[in-house]
Amino acid sequence: MADGLSVFLVEDEALIRMMIADMVVELGHRVVAEADNVRDASAFAMTAQYDFAILDINLKGLYVDPVADLIERRGKPFLFATGYGPELLPSLLRRRPILRKPISIDQLKGMIESLFPKATAEAPR
């Protein structure tokens, strides 16, 4: 995949969102939609064109699981990036990959490679 993957990023802390977006770009991918709250994230989850999503679990005091449900209904892969553990998620979402904050670029790269082994193997570096 010469152009890399397209990413939908959901994170309520602006500095963390910018840091993750920078890592995504450094890894050869692109952020095509961003949201910092459940309402906007839900709209993007259903309408944006993306390959996968990175979701913070807690958005300004609200849990992201309604957004995750919408993404899952579209059949898109996603992972959680959070300081929380999986115990805060509904049981059906606990099987999803979780990156623990603070996130390193190597952790993000490994997670993307596990979700898209063929696409990342072809990506130029």
mmCIF file with all atom_site columns, all heavy atoms in Angstrom, residues 102-121:
data_model
loop_
_atom_site.group_PDB
_atom_site.id
_atom_site.type_symbol
_atom_site.label_atom_id
_atom_site.label_alt_id
_atom_site.label_comp_id
_atom_site.label_asym_id
_atom_site.label_entity_id
_atom_site.label_seq_id
_atom_site.pdbx_PDB_ins_code
_atom_site.Cartn_x
_atom_site.Cartn_y
_atom_site.Cartn_z
_atom_site.occupancy
_atom_site.B_iso_or_equiv
_atom_site.pdbx_formal_charge
_atom_site.auth_seq_id
_atom_site.auth_comp_id
_atom_site.auth_asym_id
_atom_site.auth_atom_id
_atom_site.pdbx_PDB_model_num
ATOM 1   N N   . PRO A 1 102 ? 1.654  6.050  28.272 1.00 0.00 ? 102 PRO A N   1
ATOM 2   C CA  . PRO A 1 102 ? 2.098  6.761  27.069 1.00 0.00 ? 102 PRO A CA  1
ATOM 3   C C   . PRO A 1 102 ? 2.510  5.785  25.966 1.00 0.00 ? 102 PRO A C   1
ATOM 4   O O   . PRO A 1 102 ? 3.145  4.776  26.234 1.00 0.00 ? 102 PRO A O   1
ATOM 5   C CB  . PRO A 1 102 ? 3.291  7.580  27.555 1.00 0.00 ? 102 PRO A CB  1
ATOM 6   C CG  . PRO A 1 102 ? 3.808  6.833  28.738 1.00 0.00 ? 102 PRO A CG  1
ATOM 7   C CD  . PRO A 1 102 ? 2.622  6.146  29.351 1.00 0.00 ? 102 PRO A CD  1
ATOM 8   N N   . ILE A 1 103 ? 2.150  6.135  24.751 1.00 0.00 ? 103 ILE A N   1
ATOM 9   C CA  . ILE A 1 103 ? 2.382  5.268  23.591 1.00 0.00 ? 103 ILE A CA  1
ATOM 10  C C   . ILE A 1 103 ? 3.721  5.619  22.959 1.00 0.00 ? 103 ILE A C   1
ATOM 11  O O   . ILE A 1 103 ? 4.035  6.785  22.775 1.00 0.00 ? 103 ILE A O   1
ATOM 12  C CB  . ILE A 1 103 ? 1.261  5.475  22.557 1.00 0.00 ? 103 ILE A CB  1
ATOM 13  C CG1 . ILE A 1 103 ? -0.085 5.107  23.155 1.00 0.00 ? 103 ILE A CG1 1
ATOM 14  C CG2 . ILE A 1 103 ? 1.523  4.688  21.292 1.00 0.00 ? 103 ILE A CG2 1
ATOM 15  C CD1 . ILE A 1 103 ? -1.251 5.606  22.339 1.00 0.00 ? 103 ILE A CD1 1
ATOM 16  N N   . SER A 1 104 ? 4.468  4.596  22.583 1.00 0.00 ? 104 SER A N   1
ATOM 17  C CA  . SER A 1 104 ? 5.700  4.824  21.825 1.00 0.00 ? 104 SER A CA  1
ATOM 18  C C   . SER A 1 104 ? 5.413  4.535  20.354 1.00 0.00 ? 104 SER A C   1
ATOM 19  O O   . SER A 1 104 ? 4.495  3.790  20.017 1.00 0.00 ? 104 SER A O   1
ATOM 20  C CB  . SER A 1 104 ? 6.825  3.919  22.323 1.00 0.00 ? 104 SER A CB  1
ATOM 21  O OG  . SER A 1 104 ? 6.624  2.595  21.877 1.00 0.00 ? 104 SER A OG  1
ATOM 22  N N   . ILE A 1 105 ? 6.226  5.113  19.493 1.00 0.00 ? 105 ILE A N   1
ATOM 23  C CA  . ILE A 1 105 ? 6.054  4.885  18.060 1.00 0.00 ? 105 ILE A CA  1
ATOM 24  C C   . ILE A 1 105 ? 6.266  3.411  17.718 1.00 0.00 ? 105 ILE A C   1
ATOM 25  O O   . ILE A 1 105 ? 5.601  2.863  16.842 1.00 0.00 ? 105 ILE A O   1
ATOM 26  C CB  . ILE A 1 105 ? 6.952  5.824  17.227 1.00 0.00 ? 105 ILE A CB  1
ATOM 27  C CG1 . ILE A 1 105 ? 6.513  5.786  15.756 1.00 0.00 ? 105 ILE A CG1 1
ATOM 28  C CG2 . ILE A 1 105 ? 8.424  5.494  17.412 1.00 0.00 ? 105 ILE A CG2 1
ATOM 29  C CD1 . ILE A 1 105 ? 7.068  6.918  14.921 1.00 0.00 ? 105 ILE A CD1 1
ATOM 30  N N   . ASP A 1 106 ? 7.178  2.738  18.430 1.00 0.00 ? 106 ASP A N   1
ATOM 31  C CA  . ASP A 1 106 ? 7.411  1.313  18.178 1.00 0.00 ? 106 ASP A CA  1
ATOM 32  C C   . ASP A 1 106 ? 6.199  0.472  18.546 1.00 0.00 ? 106 ASP A C   1
ATOM 33  O O   . ASP A 1 106 ? 5.863  -0.486 17.843 1.00 0.00 ? 106 ASP A O   1
ATOM 34  C CB  . ASP A 1 106 ? 8.650  0.823  18.935 1.00 0.00 ? 106 ASP A CB  1
ATOM 35  C CG  . ASP A 1 106 ? 9.933  1.414  18.372 1.00 0.00 ? 106 ASP A CG  1
ATOM 36  O OD1 . ASP A 1 106 ? 9.954  1.775  17.178 1.00 0.00 ? 106 ASP A OD1 1
ATOM 37  O OD2 . ASP A 1 106 ? 10.910 1.524  19.139 1.00 0.00 ? 106 ASP A OD2 1
ATOM 38  N N   . GLN A 1 107 ? 5.525  0.826  19.645 1.00 0.00 ? 107 GLN A N   1
ATOM 39  C CA  . GLN A 1 107 ? 4.301  0.105  20.028 1.00 0.00 ? 107 GLN A CA  1
ATOM 40  C C   . GLN A 1 107 ? 3.219  0.312  18.977 1.00 0.00 ? 107 GLN A C   1
ATOM 41  O O   . GLN A 1 107 ? 2.532  -0.632 18.589 1.00 0.00 ? 107 GLN A O   1
ATOM 42  C CB  . GLN A 1 107 ? 3.793  0.586  21.388 1.00 0.00 ? 107 GLN A CB  1
ATOM 43  C CG  . GLN A 1 107 ? 4.657  0.210  22.551 1.00 0.00 ? 107 GLN A CG  1
ATOM 44  C CD  . GLN A 1 107 ? 4.203  0.919  23.815 1.00 0.00 ? 107 GLN A CD  1
ATOM 45  O OE1 . GLN A 1 107 ? 3.898  2.115  23.816 1.00 0.00 ? 107 GLN A OE1 1
ATOM 46  N NE2 . GLN A 1 107 ? 4.156  0.171  24.908 1.00 0.00 ? 107 GLN A NE2 1
ATOM 47  N N   . LEU A 1 108 ? 3.053  1.549  18.521 1.00 0.00 ? 108 LEU A N   1
ATOM 48  C CA  . LEU A 1 108 ? 2.045  1.846  17.509 1.00 0.00 ? 108 LEU A CA  1
ATOM 49  C C   . LEU A 1 108 ? 2.361  1.107  16.215 1.00 0.00 ? 108 LEU A C   1
ATOM 50  O O   . LEU A 1 108 ? 1.476  0.499  15.602 1.00 0.00 ? 108 LEU A O   1
ATOM 51  C CB  . LEU A 1 108 ? 1.955  3.357  17.270 1.00 0.00 ? 108 LEU A CB  1
ATOM 52  C CG  . LEU A 1 108 ? 0.920  3.805  16.238 1.00 0.00 ? 108 LEU A CG  1
ATOM 53  C CD1 . LEU A 1 108 ? -0.486 3.366  16.625 1.00 0.00 ? 108 LEU A CD1 1
ATOM 54  C CD2 . LEU A 1 108 ? 0.985  5.316  16.057 1.00 0.00 ? 108 LEU A CD2 1
ATOM 55  N N   . LYS A 1 109 ? 3.618  1.127  15.817 1.00 0.00 ? 109 LYS A N   1
ATOM 56  C CA  . LYS A 1 109 ? 4.031  0.424  14.596 1.00 0.00 ? 109 LYS A CA  1
ATOM 57  C C   . LYS A 1 109 ? 3.713  -1.068 14.700 1.00 0.00 ? 109 LYS A C   1
ATOM 58  O O   . LYS A 1 109 ? 3.148  -1.665 13.777 1.00 0.00 ? 109 LYS A O   1
ATOM 59  C CB  . LYS A 1 109 ? 5.526  0.633  14.359 1.00 0.00 ? 109 LYS A CB  1
ATOM 60  C CG  . LYS A 1 109 ? 6.048  -0.022 13.097 1.00 0.00 ? 109 LYS A CG  1
ATOM 61  C CD  . LYS A 1 109 ? 7.525  0.297  12.903 1.00 0.00 ? 109 LYS A CD  1
ATOM 62  C CE  . LYS A 1 109 ? 7.969  -0.120 11.528 1.00 0.00 ? 109 LYS A CE  1
ATOM 63  N NZ  . LYS A 1 109 ? 8.839  -1.263 11.521 1.00 0.00 ? 109 LYS A NZ  1
ATOM 64  N N   . GLY A 1 110 ? 4.043  -1.670 15.828 1.00 0.00 ? 110 GLY A N   1
ATOM 65  C CA  . GLY A 1 110 ? 3.765  -3.095 16.029 1.00 0.00 ? 110 GLY A CA  1
ATOM 66  C C   . GLY A 1 110 ? 2.287  -3.407 15.982 1.00 0.00 ? 110 GLY A C   1
ATOM 67  O O   . GLY A 1 110 ? 1.868  -4.415 15.401 1.00 0.00 ? 110 GLY A O   1
ATOM 68  N N   . MET A 1 111 ? 1.471  -2.535 16.561 1.00 0.00 ? 111 MET A N   1
ATOM 69  C CA  . MET A 1 111 ? 0.029  -2.753 16.567 1.00 0.00 ? 111 MET A CA  1
ATOM 70  C C   . MET A 1 111 ? -0.542 -2.637 15.156 1.00 0.00 ? 111 MET A C   1
ATOM 71  O O   . MET A 1 111 ? -1.364 -3.447 14.743 1.00 0.00 ? 111 MET A O   1
ATOM 72  C CB  . MET A 1 111 ? -0.641 -1.756 17.513 1.00 0.00 ? 111 MET A CB  1
ATOM 73  C CG  . MET A 1 111 ? -2.070 -2.079 17.806 1.00 0.00 ? 111 MET A CG  1
ATOM 74  S SD  . MET A 1 111 ? -2.308 -3.577 18.770 1.00 0.00 ? 111 MET A SD  1
ATOM 75  C CE  . MET A 1 111 ? -1.780 -3.037 20.371 1.00 0.00 ? 111 MET A CE  1
ATOM 76  N N   . ILE A 1 112 ? -0.088 -1.639 14.404 1.00 0.00 ? 112 ILE A N   1
ATOM 77  C CA  . ILE A 1 112 ? -0.552 -1.481 13.018 1.00 0.00 ? 112 ILE A CA  1
ATOM 78  C C   . ILE A 1 112 ? -0.127 -2.691 12.191 1.00 0.00 ? 112 ILE A C   1
ATOM 79  O O   . ILE A 1 112 ? -0.912 -3.223 11.406 1.00 0.00 ? 112 ILE A O   1
ATOM 80  C CB  . ILE A 1 112 ? -0.042 -0.161 12.407 1.00 0.00 ? 112 ILE A CB  1
ATOM 81  C CG1 . ILE A 1 112 ? -0.676 1.032  13.125 1.00 0.00 ? 112 ILE A CG1 1
ATOM 82  C CG2 . ILE A 1 112 ? -0.352 -0.107 10.904 1.00 0.00 ? 112 ILE A CG2 1
ATOM 83  C CD1 . ILE A 1 112 ? -0.080 2.385  12.755 1.00 0.00 ? 112 ILE A CD1 1
ATOM 84  N N   . GLU A 1 113 ? 1.102  -3.149 12.380 1.00 0.00 ? 113 GLU A N   1
ATOM 85  C CA  . GLU A 1 113 ? 1.580  -4.325 11.646 1.00 0.00 ? 113 GLU A CA  1
ATOM 86  C C   . GLU A 1 113 ? 0.771  -5.572 11.998 1.00 0.00 ? 113 GLU A C   1
ATOM 87  O O   . GLU A 1 113 ? 0.542  -6.419 11.136 1.00 0.00 ? 113 GLU A O   1
ATOM 88  C CB  . GLU A 1 113 ? 3.065  -4.558 11.919 1.00 0.00 ? 113 GLU A CB  1
ATOM 89  C CG  . GLU A 1 113 ? 3.942  -3.544 11.238 1.00 0.00 ? 113 GLU A CG  1
ATOM 90  C CD  . GLU A 1 113 ? 5.408  -3.637 11.627 1.00 0.00 ? 113 GLU A CD  1
ATOM 91  O OE1 . GLU A 1 113 ? 5.750  -4.370 12.587 1.00 0.00 ? 113 GLU A OE1 1
ATOM 92  O OE2 . GLU A 1 113 ? 6.213  -2.954 10.975 1.00 0.00 ? 113 GLU A OE2 1
ATOM 93  N N   . SER A 1 114 ? 0.314  -5.680 13.239 1.00 0.00 ? 114 SER A N   1
ATOM 94  C CA  . SER A 1 114 ? -0.493 -6.847 13.608 1.00 0.00 ? 114 SER A CA  1
ATOM 95  C C   . SER A 1 114 ? -1.892 -6.769 12.991 1.00 0.00 ? 114 SER A C   1
ATOM 96  O O   . SER A 1 114 ? -2.480 -7.798 12.668 1.00 0.00 ? 114 SER A O   1
ATOM 97  C CB  . SER A 1 114 ? -0.578 -7.004 15.130 1.00 0.00 ? 114 SER A CB  1
ATOM 98  O OG  . SER A 1 114 ? -1.399 -6.002 15.704 1.00 0.00 ? 114 SER A OG  1
ATOM 99  N N   . LEU A 1 115 ? -2.410 -5.556 12.792 1.00 0.00 ? 115 LEU A N   1
ATOM 100 C CA  . LEU A 1 115 ? -3.724 -5.390 12.169 1.00 0.00 ? 115 LEU A CA  1
ATOM 101 C C   . LEU A 1 115 ? -3.656 -5.537 10.643 1.00 0.00 ? 115 LEU A C   1
ATOM 102 O O   . LEU A 1 115 ? -4.601 -6.005 10.017 1.00 0.00 ? 115 LEU A O   1
ATOM 103 C CB  . LEU A 1 115 ? -4.314 -4.013 12.505 1.00 0.00 ? 115 LEU A CB  1
ATOM 104 C CG  . LEU A 1 115 ? -4.763 -3.778 13.936 1.00 0.00 ? 115 LEU A CG  1
ATOM 105 C CD1 . LEU A 1 115 ? -5.151 -2.320 14.137 1.00 0.00 ? 115 LEU A CD1 1
ATOM 106 C CD2 . LEU A 1 115 ? -5.922 -4.684 14.307 1.00 0.00 ? 115 LEU A CD2 1
ATOM 107 N N   . PHE A 1 116 ? -2.543 -5.101 10.045 1.00 0.00 ? 116 PHE A N   1
ATOM 108 C CA  . PHE A 1 116 ? -2.394 -5.072 8.584  1.00 0.00 ? 116 PHE A CA  1
ATOM 109 C C   . PHE A 1 116 ? -1.026 -5.622 8.193  1.00 0.00 ? 116 PHE A C   1
ATOM 110 O O   . PHE A 1 116 ? -0.191 -4.900 7.667  1.00 0.00 ? 116 PHE A O   1
ATOM 111 C CB  . PHE A 1 116 ? -2.514 -3.631 8.057  1.00 0.00 ? 116 PHE A CB  1
ATOM 112 C CG  . PHE A 1 116 ? -3.832 -3.005 8.314  1.00 0.00 ? 116 PHE A CG  1
ATOM 113 C CD1 . PHE A 1 116 ? -4.039 -2.228 9.437  1.00 0.00 ? 116 PHE A CD1 1
ATOM 114 C CD2 . PHE A 1 116 ? -4.893 -3.197 7.438  1.00 0.00 ? 116 PHE A CD2 1
ATOM 115 C CE1 . PHE A 1 116 ? -5.268 -1.647 9.689  1.00 0.00 ? 116 PHE A CE1 1
ATOM 116 C CE2 . PHE A 1 116 ? -6.127 -2.615 7.669  1.00 0.00 ? 116 PHE A CE2 1
ATOM 117 C CZ  . PHE A 1 116 ? -6.319 -1.829 8.804  1.00 0.00 ? 116 PHE A CZ  1
ATOM 118 N N   . PRO A 1 117 ? -0.772 -6.917 8.402  1.00 0.00 ? 117 PRO A N   1
ATOM 119 C CA  . PRO A 1 117 ? 0.562  -7.445 8.129  1.00 0.00 ? 117 PRO A CA  1
ATOM 120 C C   . PRO A 1 117 ? 1.008  -7.281 6.678  1.00 0.00 ? 117 PRO A C   1
ATOM 121 O O   . PRO A 1 117 ? 2.150  -6.945 6.409  1.00 0.00 ? 117 PRO A O   1
ATOM 122 C CB  . PRO A 1 117 ? 0.471  -8.908 8.526  1.00 0.00 ? 117 PRO A CB  1
ATOM 123 C CG  . PRO A 1 117 ? -0.973 -9.202 8.705  1.00 0.00 ? 117 PRO A CG  1
ATOM 124 C CD  . PRO A 1 117 ? -1.680 -7.908 8.911  1.00 0.00 ? 117 PRO A CD  1
ATOM 125 N N   . LYS A 1 118 ? 0.128  -7.470 5.725  1.00 0.00 ? 118 LYS A N   1
ATOM 126 C CA  . LYS A 1 118 ? 0.511  -7.377 4.311  1.00 0.00 ? 118 LYS A CA  1
ATOM 127 C C   . LYS A 1 118 ? 0.734  -5.912 3.904  1.00 0.00 ? 118 LYS A C   1
ATOM 128 O O   . LYS A 1 118 ? 1.721  -5.591 3.254  1.00 0.00 ? 118 LYS A O   1
ATOM 129 C CB  . LYS A 1 118 ? -0.578 -7.994 3.444  1.00 0.00 ? 118 LYS A CB  1
ATOM 130 C CG  . LYS A 1 118 ? -0.192 -8.069 1.985  1.00 0.00 ? 118 LYS A CG  1
ATOM 131 C CD  . LYS A 1 118 ? -1.215 -8.854 1.197  1.00 0.00 ? 118 LYS A CD  1
ATOM 132 C CE  . LYS A 1 118 ? -0.709 -9.213 -0.157 1.00 0.00 ? 118 LYS A CE  1
ATOM 133 N NZ  . LYS A 1 118 ? -0.924 -8.363 -1.214 1.00 0.00 ? 118 LYS A NZ  1
ATOM 134 N N   . ALA A 1 119 ? -0.156 -5.028 4.313  1.00 0.00 ? 119 ALA A N   1
ATOM 135 C CA  . ALA A 1 119 ? -0.057 -3.626 3.917  1.00 0.00 ? 119 ALA A CA  1
ATOM 136 C C   . ALA A 1 119 ? 1.205  -2.973 4.480  1.00 0.00 ? 119 ALA A C   1
ATOM 137 O O   . ALA A 1 119 ? 1.872  -2.216 3.786  1.00 0.00 ? 119 ALA A O   1
ATOM 138 C CB  . ALA A 1 119 ? -1.289 -2.848 4.387  1.00 0.00 ? 119 ALA A CB  1
ATOM 139 N N   . THR A 1 120 ? 1.531  -3.266 5.728  1.00 0.00 ? 120 THR A N   1
ATOM 140 C CA  . THR A 1 120 ? 2.699  -2.625 6.321  1.00 0.00 ? 120 THR A CA  1
ATOM 141 C C   . THR A 1 120 ? 3.996  -3.231 5.804  1.00 0.00 ? 120 THR A C   1
ATOM 142 O O   . THR A 1 120 ? 5.012  -2.565 5.763  1.00 0.00 ? 120 THR A O   1
ATOM 143 C CB  . THR A 1 120 ? 2.643  -2.677 7.866  1.00 0.00 ? 120 THR A CB  1
ATOM 144 O OG1 . THR A 1 120 ? 2.438  -4.032 8.272  1.00 0.00 ? 120 THR A OG1 1
ATOM 145 C CG2 . THR A 1 120 ? 1.527  -1.821 8.392  1.00 0.00 ? 120 THR A CG2 1
ATOM 146 N N   . ALA A 1 121 ? 3.958  -4.483 5.394  1.00 0.00 ? 121 ALA A N   1
ATOM 147 C CA  . ALA A 1 121 ? 5.164  -5.106 4.833  1.00 0.00 ? 121 ALA A CA  1
ATOM 148 C C   . ALA A 1 121 ? 5.518  -4.465 3.505  1.00 0.00 ? 121 ALA A C   1
ATOM 149 O O   . ALA A 1 121 ? 6.688  -4.378 3.131  1.00 0.00 ? 121 ALA A O   1
ATOM 150 C CB  . ALA A 1 121 ? 4.951  -6.604 4.640  1.00 0.00 ? 121 ALA A CB  1
#
